[in-house]
Structures are given as C-alpha cells and as structure tokens.
Amino acid sequence: MRLSLGSDHAGFALKEQVKAYLQHKGYEVTDVGTTSEDSVDYPDYAEQVGKAVAADEADFGVLVCGSGLGMAIAANKVPGVRAVQLMDTEMAKMSRMHNDANVVTLAGRYTEPEKAEAILDMFLTTPFEGGRHQLRVDKITAIEHENEQ
Ligand code: RB5
C-alpha cells in the first residue's frame, strides 16, 4: 500500500515517528516534508498529499500538524479528498466504514505516538462498507462537481 505523508513544523516529530512505524510495517511511504522544526505553512503540505491521493499516486494520505485541524481543512479543498482529523481508533474505524476517508490528519501536539500508531492501524486496515454509504459519498462528490470553478 502506497502512503503519502506530510507535516508542518508542529507535526514534524510525530511524522518522523509514524514514518518509521509505517515503513517497518511494510507500507511504501513517500514523505513530502517538512524536514525540520523550522516554521512552515501547513497548507503547502496538505495540498501535496491531497493531490497525490486524488491522482491515485498514493492509496492514502497521512498529514500531521499541531492539531490536525488545519491540515484537514486544507486537504479537503483538493477535489476527491475526504480528510478526517482523528484522535481515537473508533472514529478511525467509522471514517473508513461509512465515509471512505482517504486522508487522515493527526495532532502532533496532542497525540502520543502509540495512540497515533493505533489510529493508523485501524484507519489503514478497515474497509469501506459501500452500499448505502456509497450513495452518500457519491453525494459528497456531486457537491464538488456542482461547485467547480
Ligand atoms: C502551527 O502553530 C499550527 O497552527 C499548525 O500546526 C496547526 O495546528 C494548524 O491547524
């Protein structure tokens, strides 16, 4: 499975930790940066990861900033991205089963590495249920098309 991974400065430490974890588990990880704790702007990384997922260059995206919130807001501006900010494994499961989420965003300042790893395990291994949920995800996609500029 191919993953696109990115963070800003506030998510850098957690990004590095989850990168090692994901690579150890056999995922193919492409890290778009950032590469240090020097201040950068999270939308730049959200856009890169979102575009990689939307273009099917990655199966899923993983983004880390201080709260995970800005990354989710920014990544969701890329058509085809369904990004969710996750703090626990139950929501990770639901975001995959019902929403077919394709990008997970994590809170580097609030989430311990072990919790982040558990969230990622759940997110990356839970299948989309389809059925009535597919119809609803299709409606999300229709909103994107209706508002194309
Ligand atoms: C950076 O200070 C912080 O605002 C950013 O990492 C993120 O939490 C934004 O949503």
Side-chain angles (χ1 to χ4, degrees), residues 8-10 42 65-67 69-70 109:
D8 71 356
H9 53 287
Y42 61 82
C65 63
S67 63
L69 298 172
R109 289 179 175 151

Side-chain angles (χ1 to χ4, degrees), residues 27 31 41 61 83-84 92 105 144:
Y27 292 100
D31 183 352
D41 300 325
V84 286
T105 74
E144 287 179 344

Side-chain angles (χ1 to χ4, degrees), residues 21-42:
Y21 177 74
L22 292 167
Q23 287 174 331
H24 180 71
K25 293 206 84 172
Y27 292 100
E28 182 186 321
V29 181
T30 301
D31 183 352
V32 305
T34 187
T35 55
S36 76
E37 293 189 337
D38 294 345
S39 184
V40 292
D41 300 325
Y42 61 82

Side-chain angles (χ1 to χ4, degrees), residues 46-68:
E47 183 177 20
Q48 286 186 72
V49 167
K51 282 183 170 174
V53 172
D56 195 28
E57 294 162 9
D59 298 300
F60 291 103
V62 180
L63 286 163
V64 193
C65 63
S67 63

